[in-house]
Amino acid sequence: MDERRACLQPLDDGWLHRRPLRISMLRLDRLHPVVSGNKWYKLKGNVAAALQEGCPGIATFGGAYSNHLAATAAAAREAGLASVGFVRGLHHGAAGTDTLRFCAAQGMQLEYISTADYSRKNDPEYFSFLRQQHPGFWFVPEGGANEQGRSGAETIARLVPGDATHVVLSVGTGTTFIGLRNALPAAVAMTGFVPMKSGRYLETEIRAHLRAGQDRAWSLIDAFHFGGFGRTNQELMDFMVAFYNNYRIPLDVVYTGKMMYGLRQLLQEGIFPDGAHIVCLHTGGLQGNPPELRSLFAQSDSD
Ligand SMILES: *Cc1c(COP(=O)(O)O)cnc(C)c1O
């Protein structure tokens, strides 16, 4: 992991907007080939805690396309820890998904659980049943949504330039959003794009973790879900290809593609004031892209 690779890239050539304001992208996707984006920040404190407590490994939860599972598998391996992934759903085909194959190749032990059981993963009784099967393991909730995850995400704030007026990011569990809202000056306005239907329920979750004085100047937008979490369409694909052709920045189809599509819409509506400096977080997730996008974007890995 090399934090110096997380450059700030200007997006100021007039394709996204024609207003007197600046837009930059904070390229957290460049941090690490797999533990990229926000996942490294959410995992670093968890890995440190597992090592400090002398745990044999890390156990966590995710779907068959989960960036968090892939990142955990790679981070645990790098730290010399074992890893267990509880995968949502029993049916992923004989060969699984690319993400699950990657996890297994990193040495992660995959345990498939039914969607019904998966939804009970936070029930104390079922959770302690899972714990008993992996004694001593450090358990990380889905998406890295725990104390270590939130405080790790706070440290992303030091990469945000001091003249930023707006910070835009994509929201899954809200962990990264919470960390940043707590760590950035309260005057910096934050917009979170939620890539799922009716995602604004996360507002309650976010608010519950904000420190005194930090519960201001933020909002969530769930209008750009493209049919729901993990869903896509040709319009989104075309947008991501055009974005790549303009800026040589690969986006991911689940999170950052929808975020930039939504941001362009807001820019067209002219909601940002003149003179603003909007910093968009590239939170990574490229491992989860479909093969045709991965091969198109593979050209950018050389720089
Ligand atoms: C996991 C992920 C998110 C969501 O992060 P949360 O901290 O769970 O809100 C956003 N973008 C990308 C690319 C991700 O992989």
PDB file of all heavy atoms in Angstrom, residues 62-96:
ATOM      1  N   GLY A  62     -20.031 -11.041   3.211  1.00  0.00           N
ATOM      2  CA  GLY A  62     -20.242 -10.278   1.983  1.00  0.00           C
ATOM      3  C   GLY A  62     -20.961 -11.091   0.922  1.00  0.00           C
ATOM      4  O   GLY A  62     -21.106 -12.314   1.037  1.00  0.00           O
ATOM      5  N   GLY A  63     -21.401 -10.408  -0.115  1.00  0.00           N
ATOM      6  CA  GLY A  63     -22.046 -11.073  -1.238  1.00  0.00           C
ATOM      7  C   GLY A  63     -21.004 -11.622  -2.203  1.00  0.00           C
ATOM      8  O   GLY A  63     -19.799 -11.443  -2.019  1.00  0.00           O
ATOM      9  N   ALA A  64     -21.490 -12.284  -3.237  1.00  0.00           N
ATOM     10  CA  ALA A  64     -20.609 -12.971  -4.180  1.00  0.00           C
ATOM     11  C   ALA A  64     -19.807 -12.011  -5.060  1.00  0.00           C
ATOM     12  O   ALA A  64     -18.900 -12.430  -5.773  1.00  0.00           O
ATOM     13  CB  ALA A  64     -21.434 -13.906  -5.060  1.00  0.00           C
ATOM     14  N   TYR A  65     -20.126 -10.718  -5.004  1.00  0.00           N
ATOM     15  CA  TYR A  65     -19.382  -9.704  -5.786  1.00  0.00           C
ATOM     16  C   TYR A  65     -18.737  -8.674  -4.864  1.00  0.00           C
ATOM     17  O   TYR A  65     -18.343  -7.600  -5.305  1.00  0.00           O
ATOM     18  CB  TYR A  65     -20.327  -8.991  -6.767  1.00  0.00           C
ATOM     19  CG  TYR A  65     -20.940  -9.930  -7.774  1.00  0.00           C
ATOM     20  CD1 TYR A  65     -22.155 -10.561  -7.520  1.00  0.00           C
ATOM     21  CD2 TYR A  65     -20.281 -10.216  -8.964  1.00  0.00           C
ATOM     22  CE1 TYR A  65     -22.711 -11.451  -8.422  1.00  0.00           C
ATOM     23  CE2 TYR A  65     -20.827 -11.100  -9.880  1.00  0.00           C
ATOM     24  CZ  TYR A  65     -22.040 -11.711  -9.603  1.00  0.00           C
ATOM     25  OH  TYR A  65     -22.572 -12.591 -10.507  1.00  0.00           O
ATOM     26  N   SER A  66     -18.632  -9.016  -3.583  1.00  0.00           N
ATOM     27  CA  SER A  66     -18.236  -8.035  -2.571  1.00  0.00           C
ATOM     28  C   SER A  66     -16.777  -7.599  -2.689  1.00  0.00           C
ATOM     29  O   SER A  66     -15.857  -8.414  -2.574  1.00  0.00           O
ATOM     30  CB  SER A  66     -18.496  -8.642  -1.190  1.00  0.00           C
ATOM     31  OG  SER A  66     -17.832  -7.908  -0.191  1.00  0.00           O
ATOM     32  N   ASN A  67     -16.563  -6.285  -2.865  1.00  0.00           N
ATOM     33  CA  ASN A  67     -15.208  -5.741  -2.838  1.00  0.00           C
ATOM     34  C   ASN A  67     -14.594  -5.915  -1.456  1.00  0.00           C
ATOM     35  O   ASN A  67     -13.380  -6.085  -1.327  1.00  0.00           O
ATOM     36  CB  ASN A  67     -15.222  -4.245  -3.168  1.00  0.00           C
ATOM     37  CG  ASN A  67     -15.718  -3.969  -4.575  1.00  0.00           C
ATOM     38  OD1 ASN A  67     -15.493  -4.775  -5.473  1.00  0.00           O
ATOM     39  ND2 ASN A  67     -16.384  -2.843  -4.761  1.00  0.00           N
ATOM     40  N   HIS A  68     -15.446  -5.837  -0.446  1.00  0.00           N
ATOM     41  CA  HIS A  68     -14.951  -5.966   0.933  1.00  0.00           C
ATOM     42  C   HIS A  68     -14.396  -7.370   1.201  1.00  0.00           C
ATOM     43  O   HIS A  68     -13.358  -7.517   1.854  1.00  0.00           O
ATOM     44  CB  HIS A  68     -16.083  -5.637   1.915  1.00  0.00           C
ATOM     45  CG  HIS A  68     -15.797  -6.017   3.327  1.00  0.00           C
ATOM     46  ND1 HIS A  68     -14.878  -5.343   4.105  1.00  0.00           N
ATOM     47  CD2 HIS A  68     -16.284  -7.020   4.104  1.00  0.00           C
ATOM     48  CE1 HIS A  68     -14.818  -5.915   5.307  1.00  0.00           C
ATOM     49  NE2 HIS A  68     -15.663  -6.927   5.326  1.00  0.00           N
ATOM     50  N   LEU A  69     -15.068  -8.392   0.682  1.00  0.00           N
ATOM     51  CA  LEU A  69     -14.546  -9.761   0.863  1.00  0.00           C
ATOM     52  C   LEU A  69     -13.191  -9.899   0.186  1.00  0.00           C
ATOM     53  O   LEU A  69     -12.246 -10.439   0.773  1.00  0.00           O
ATOM     54  CB  LEU A  69     -15.503 -10.794   0.247  1.00  0.00           C
ATOM     55  CG  LEU A  69     -16.619 -11.397   1.082  1.00  0.00           C
ATOM     56  CD1 LEU A  69     -17.265 -12.556   0.311  1.00  0.00           C
ATOM     57  CD2 LEU A  69     -16.153 -11.874   2.448  1.00  0.00           C
ATOM     58  N   ALA A  70     -13.102  -9.401  -1.067  1.00  0.00           N
ATOM     59  CA  ALA A  70     -11.842  -9.515  -1.808  1.00  0.00           C
ATOM     60  C   ALA A  70     -10.729  -8.764  -1.088  1.00  0.00           C
ATOM     61  O   ALA A  70      -9.603  -9.266  -0.945  1.00  0.00           O
ATOM     62  CB  ALA A  70     -12.021  -8.978  -3.234  1.00  0.00           C
ATOM     63  N   ALA A  71     -11.048  -7.564  -0.604  1.00  0.00           N
ATOM     64  CA  ALA A  71     -10.037  -6.761   0.084  1.00  0.00           C
ATOM     65  C   ALA A  71      -9.602  -7.428   1.385  1.00  0.00           C
ATOM     66  O   ALA A  71      -8.416  -7.436   1.726  1.00  0.00           O
ATOM     67  CB  ALA A  71     -10.589  -5.358   0.360  1.00  0.00           C
ATOM     68  N   THR A  72     -10.557  -8.010   2.103  1.00  0.00           N
ATOM     69  CA  THR A  72     -10.225  -8.670   3.370  1.00  0.00           C
ATOM     70  C   THR A  72      -9.323  -9.877   3.114  1.00  0.00           C
ATOM     71  O   THR A  72      -8.337 -10.095   3.841  1.00  0.00           O
ATOM     72  CB  THR A  72     -11.498  -9.129   4.114  1.00  0.00           C
ATOM     73  OG1 THR A  72     -12.350  -7.998   4.300  1.00  0.00           O
ATOM     74  CG2 THR A  72     -11.165  -9.734   5.465  1.00  0.00           C
ATOM     75  N   ALA A  73      -9.665 -10.650   2.085  1.00  0.00           N
ATOM     76  CA  ALA A  73      -8.853 -11.828   1.764  1.00  0.00           C
ATOM     77  C   ALA A  73      -7.405 -11.411   1.489  1.00  0.00           C
ATOM     78  O   ALA A  73      -6.455 -12.014   2.013  1.00  0.00           O
ATOM     79  CB  ALA A  73      -9.440 -12.562   0.554  1.00  0.00           C
ATOM     80  N   ALA A  74      -7.235 -10.346   0.696  1.00  0.00           N
ATOM     81  CA  ALA A  74      -5.877  -9.908   0.341  1.00  0.00           C
ATOM     82  C   ALA A  74      -5.160  -9.283   1.533  1.00  0.00           C
ATOM     83  O   ALA A  74      -3.970  -9.534   1.756  1.00  0.00           O
ATOM     84  CB  ALA A  74      -5.945  -8.920  -0.824  1.00  0.00           C
ATOM     85  N   ALA A  75      -5.878  -8.475   2.314  1.00  0.00           N
ATOM     86  CA  ALA A  75      -5.247  -7.809   3.463  1.00  0.00           C
ATOM     87  C   ALA A  75      -4.834  -8.830   4.524  1.00  0.00           C
ATOM     88  O   ALA A  75      -3.760  -8.713   5.124  1.00  0.00           O
ATOM     89  CB  ALA A  75      -6.198  -6.780   4.056  1.00  0.00           C
ATOM     90  N   ALA A  76      -5.676  -9.831   4.761  1.00  0.00           N
ATOM     91  CA  ALA A  76      -5.351 -10.856   5.747  1.00  0.00           C
ATOM     92  C   ALA A  76      -4.115 -11.637   5.286  1.00  0.00           C
ATOM     93  O   ALA A  76      -3.185 -11.878   6.059  1.00  0.00           O
ATOM     94  CB  ALA A  76      -6.530 -11.804   5.951  1.00  0.00           C
ATOM     95  N   ARG A  77      -4.095 -11.991   4.035  1.00  0.00           N
ATOM     96  CA  ARG A  77      -2.950 -12.741   3.514  1.00  0.00           C
ATOM     97  C   ARG A  77      -1.658 -11.951   3.682  1.00  0.00           C
ATOM     98  O   ARG A  77      -0.636 -12.470   4.127  1.00  0.00           O
ATOM     99  CB  ARG A  77      -3.193 -13.059   2.041  1.00  0.00           C
ATOM    100  CG  ARG A  77      -2.136 -13.941   1.443  1.00  0.00           C
ATOM    101  CD  ARG A  77      -2.211 -13.888  -0.071  1.00  0.00           C
ATOM    102  NE  ARG A  77      -1.150 -14.690  -0.647  1.00  0.00           N
ATOM    103  CZ  ARG A  77      -1.342 -15.884  -1.191  1.00  0.00           C
ATOM    104  NH1 ARG A  77      -2.547 -16.401  -1.224  1.00  0.00           N
ATOM    105  NH2 ARG A  77      -0.326 -16.544  -1.697  1.00  0.00           N
ATOM    106  N   GLU A  78      -1.707 -10.646   3.349  1.00  0.00           N
ATOM    107  CA  GLU A  78      -0.507  -9.809   3.481  1.00  0.00           C
ATOM    108  C   GLU A  78      -0.035  -9.715   4.918  1.00  0.00           C
ATOM    109  O   GLU A  78       1.159  -9.575   5.183  1.00  0.00           O
ATOM    110  CB  GLU A  78      -0.776  -8.387   2.953  1.00  0.00           C
ATOM    111  CG  GLU A  78      -0.562  -8.283   1.467  1.00  0.00           C
ATOM    112  CD  GLU A  78      -0.843  -6.892   0.899  1.00  0.00           C
ATOM    113  OE1 GLU A  78      -0.717  -5.889   1.631  1.00  0.00           O
ATOM    114  OE2 GLU A  78      -1.200  -6.832  -0.290  1.00  0.00           O
ATOM    115  N   ALA A  79      -0.989  -9.785   5.850  1.00  0.00           N
ATOM    116  CA  ALA A  79      -0.633  -9.680   7.264  1.00  0.00           C
ATOM    117  C   ALA A  79      -0.268 -11.035   7.863  1.00  0.00           C
ATOM    118  O   ALA A  79       0.035 -11.127   9.052  1.00  0.00           O
ATOM    119  CB  ALA A  79      -1.788  -9.061   8.039  1.00  0.00           C
ATOM    120  N   GLY A  80      -0.329 -12.088   7.060  1.00  0.00           N
ATOM    121  CA  GLY A  80      -0.015 -13.422   7.564  1.00  0.00           C
ATOM    122  C   GLY A  80      -1.136 -14.020   8.401  1.00  0.00           C
ATOM    123  O   GLY A  80      -0.890 -14.888   9.244  1.00  0.00           O
ATOM    124  N   LEU A  81      -2.352 -13.544   8.210  1.00  0.00           N
ATOM    125  CA  LEU A  81      -3.503 -14.053   8.956  1.00  0.00           C
ATOM    126  C   LEU A  81      -4.357 -14.949   8.056  1.00  0.00           C
ATOM    127  O   LEU A  81      -4.421 -14.739   6.838  1.00  0.00           O
ATOM    128  CB  LEU A  81      -4.374 -12.881   9.436  1.00  0.00           C
ATOM    129  CG  LEU A  81      -3.782 -11.978  10.520  1.00  0.00           C
ATOM    130  CD1 LEU A  81      -4.576 -10.667  10.617  1.00  0.00           C
ATOM    131  CD2 LEU A  81      -3.789 -12.696  11.867  1.00  0.00           C
ATOM    132  N   ALA A  82      -5.029 -15.902   8.660  1.00  0.00           N
ATOM    133  CA  ALA A  82      -6.021 -16.690   7.923  1.00  0.00           C
ATOM    134  C   ALA A  82      -7.262 -15.819   7.703  1.00  0.00           C
ATOM    135  O   ALA A  82      -7.418 -14.779   8.339  1.00  0.00           O
ATOM    136  CB  ALA A  82      -6.396 -17.930   8.726  1.00  0.00           C
ATOM    137  N   SER A  83      -8.136 -16.231   6.802  1.00  0.00           N
ATOM    138  CA  SER A  83      -9.384 -15.483   6.642  1.00  0.00           C
ATOM    139  C   SER A  83     -10.535 -16.423   6.312  1.00  0.00           C
ATOM    140  O   SER A  83     -10.362 -17.452   5.670  1.00  0.00           O
ATOM    141  CB  SER A  83      -9.256 -14.391   5.571  1.00  0.00           C
ATOM    142  OG  SER A  83      -9.014 -14.946   4.304  1.00  0.00           O
ATOM    143  N   VAL A  84     -11.700 -16.038   6.807  1.00  0.00           N
ATOM    144  CA  VAL A  84     -12.938 -16.774   6.538  1.00  0.00           C
ATOM    145  C   VAL A  84     -13.943 -15.770   5.980  1.00  0.00           C
ATOM    146  O   VAL A  84     -14.088 -14.674   6.517  1.00  0.00           O
ATOM    147  CB  VAL A  84     -13.503 -17.397   7.838  1.00  0.00           C
ATOM    148  CG1 VAL A  84     -14.912 -17.941   7.614  1.00  0.00           C
ATOM    149  CG2 VAL A  84     -12.584 -18.498   8.351  1.00  0.00           C
ATOM    150  N   GLY A  85     -14.600 -16.138   4.885  1.00  0.00           N
ATOM    151  CA  GLY A  85     -15.626 -15.273   4.323  1.00  0.00           C
ATOM    152  C   GLY A  85     -16.976 -15.969   4.355  1.00  0.00           C
ATOM    153  O   GLY A  85     -17.128 -17.056   3.782  1.00  0.00           O
ATOM    154  N   PHE A  86     -17.938 -15.381   5.045  1.00  0.00           N
ATOM    155  CA  PHE A  86     -19.311 -15.901   5.011  1.00  0.00           C
ATOM    156  C   PHE A  86     -20.012 -15.257   3.823  1.00  0.00           C
ATOM    157  O   PHE A  86     -20.190 -14.034   3.789  1.00  0.00           O
ATOM    158  CB  PHE A  86     -20.046 -15.576   6.311  1.00  0.00           C
ATOM    159  CG  PHE A  86     -19.466 -16.279   7.511  1.00  0.00           C
ATOM    160  CD1 PHE A  86     -18.647 -15.600   8.403  1.00  0.00           C
ATOM    161  CD2 PHE A  86     -19.719 -17.630   7.718  1.00  0.00           C
ATOM    162  CE1 PHE A  86     -18.104 -16.252   9.499  1.00  0.00           C
ATOM    163  CE2 PHE A  86     -19.174 -18.293   8.818  1.00  0.00           C
ATOM    164  CZ  PHE A  86     -18.357 -17.606   9.713  1.00  0.00           C
ATOM    165  N   VAL A  87     -20.378 -16.082   2.875  1.00  0.00           N
ATOM    166  CA  VAL A  87     -20.914 -15.566   1.613  1.00  0.00           C
ATOM    167  C   VAL A  87     -22.433 -15.661   1.619  1.00  0.00           C
ATOM    168  O   VAL A  87     -23.007 -16.712   1.946  1.00  0.00           O
ATOM    169  CB  VAL A  87     -20.347 -16.357   0.418  1.00  0.00           C
ATOM    170  CG1 VAL A  87     -20.836 -15.762  -0.897  1.00  0.00           C
ATOM    171  CG2 VAL A  87     -18.826 -16.382   0.463  1.00  0.00           C
ATOM    172  N   ARG A  88     -23.049 -14.569   1.236  1.00  0.00           N
ATOM    173  CA  ARG A  88     -24.511 -14.504   1.216  1.00  0.00           C
ATOM    174  C   ARG A  88     -25.067 -15.342   0.059  1.00  0.00           C
ATOM    175  O   ARG A  88     -24.775 -15.066  -1.103  1.00  0.00           O
ATOM    176  CB  ARG A  88     -24.946 -13.055   1.049  1.00  0.00           C
ATOM    177  CG  ARG A  88     -26.425 -12.843   0.982  1.00  0.00           C
ATOM    178  CD  ARG A  88     -26.737 -11.357   0.885  1.00  0.00           C
ATOM    179  NE  ARG A  88     -28.154 -11.137   0.824  1.00  0.00           N
ATOM    180  CZ  ARG A  88     -28.866 -11.201  -0.299  1.00  0.00           C
ATOM    181  NH1 ARG A  88     -28.281 -11.471  -1.437  1.00  0.00           N
ATOM    182  NH2 ARG A  88     -30.164 -11.005  -0.272  1.00  0.00           N
ATOM    183  N   GLY A  89     -25.854 -16.356   0.398  1.00  0.00           N
ATOM    184  CA  GLY A  89     -26.523 -17.168  -0.625  1.00  0.00           C
ATOM    185  C   GLY A  89     -25.767 -18.459  -0.921  1.00  0.00           C
ATOM    186  O   GLY A  89     -24.537 -18.505  -0.891  1.00  0.00           O
ATOM    187  N   LEU A  90     -26.554 -19.498  -1.239  1.00  0.00           N
ATOM    188  CA  LEU A  90     -25.950 -20.818  -1.441  1.00  0.00           C
ATOM    189  C   LEU A  90     -25.625 -21.087  -2.900  1.00  0.00           C
ATOM    190  O   LEU A  90     -24.871 -21.994  -3.217  1.00  0.00           O
ATOM    191  CB  LEU A  90     -26.917 -21.902  -0.930  1.00  0.00           C
ATOM    192  CG  LEU A  90     -27.266 -21.815   0.561  1.00  0.00           C
ATOM    193  CD1 LEU A  90     -28.404 -22.770   0.903  1.00  0.00           C
ATOM    194  CD2 LEU A  90     -26.047 -22.099   1.423  1.00  0.00           C
ATOM    195  N   HIS A  91     -26.172 -20.295  -3.811  1.00  0.00           N
ATOM    196  CA  HIS A  91     -26.093 -20.662  -5.233  1.00  0.00           C
ATOM    197  C   HIS A  91     -25.281 -19.669  -6.033  1.00  0.00           C
ATOM    198  O   HIS A  91     -25.758 -18.615  -6.428  1.00  0.00           O
ATOM    199  CB  HIS A  91     -27.499 -20.772  -5.818  1.00  0.00           C
ATOM    200  CG  HIS A  91     -28.378 -21.667  -5.016  1.00  0.00           C
ATOM    201  ND1 HIS A  91     -28.151 -23.021  -4.940  1.00  0.00           N
ATOM    202  CD2 HIS A  91     -29.432 -21.406  -4.228  1.00  0.00           C
ATOM    203  CE1 HIS A  91     -29.052 -23.555  -4.135  1.00  0.00           C
ATOM    204  NE2 HIS A  91     -29.836 -22.606  -3.690  1.00  0.00           N
ATOM    205  N   HIS A  92     -24.030 -19.969  -6.265  1.00  0.00           N
ATOM    206  CA  HIS A  92     -23.197 -19.105  -7.094  1.00  0.00           C
ATOM    207  C   HIS A  92     -22.587 -19.878  -8.252  1.00  0.00           C
ATOM    208  O   HIS A  92     -21.545 -19.520  -8.778  1.00  0.00           O
ATOM    209  CB  HIS A  92     -22.113 -18.445  -6.244  1.00  0.00           C
ATOM    210  CG  HIS A  92     -22.687 -17.676  -5.096  1.00  0.00           C
ATOM    211  ND1 HIS A  92     -23.404 -16.517  -5.270  1.00  0.00           N
ATOM    212  CD2 HIS A  92     -22.707 -17.930  -3.763  1.00  0.00           C
ATOM    213  CE1 HIS A  92     -23.824 -16.090  -4.086  1.00  0.00           C
ATOM    214  NE2 HIS A  92     -23.430 -16.920  -3.162  1.00  0.00           N
ATOM    215  N   GLY A  93     -23.226 -20.966  -8.619  1.00  0.00           N
ATOM    216  CA  GLY A  93     -22.708 -21.782  -9.716  1.00  0.00           C
ATOM    217  C   GLY A  93     -21.523 -22.601  -9.232  1.00  0.00           C
ATOM    218  O   GLY A  93     -20.931 -22.298  -8.202  1.00  0.00           O
ATOM    219  N   ALA A  94     -21.174 -23.605 -10.002  1.00  0.00           N
ATOM    220  CA  ALA A  94     -20.110 -24.506  -9.582  1.00  0.00           C
ATOM    221  C   ALA A  94     -18.796 -23.753  -9.389  1.00  0.00           C
ATOM    222  O   ALA A  94     -18.053 -23.987  -8.443  1.00  0.00           O
ATOM    223  CB  ALA A  94     -19.943 -25.622 -10.606  1.00  0.00           C
ATOM    224  N   ALA A  95     -18.517 -22.808 -10.279  1.00  0.00           N
ATOM    225  CA  ALA A  95     -17.218 -22.136 -10.225  1.00  0.00           C
ATOM    226  C   ALA A  95     -17.253 -20.836  -9.428  1.00  0.00           C
ATOM    227  O   ALA A  95     -16.240 -20.189  -9.238  1.00  0.00           O
ATOM    228  CB  ALA A  95     -16.723 -21.860 -11.644  1.00  0.00           C
ATOM    229  N   GLY A  96     -18.438 -20.435  -8.948  1.00  0.00           N
ATOM    230  CA  GLY A  96     -18.528 -19.186  -8.204  1.00  0.00           C
ATOM    231  C   GLY A  96     -18.351 -17.978  -9.105  1.00  0.00           C
ATOM    232  O   GLY A  96     -18.474 -18.067 -10.322  1.00  0.00           O
TER     233      GLY A  96
END
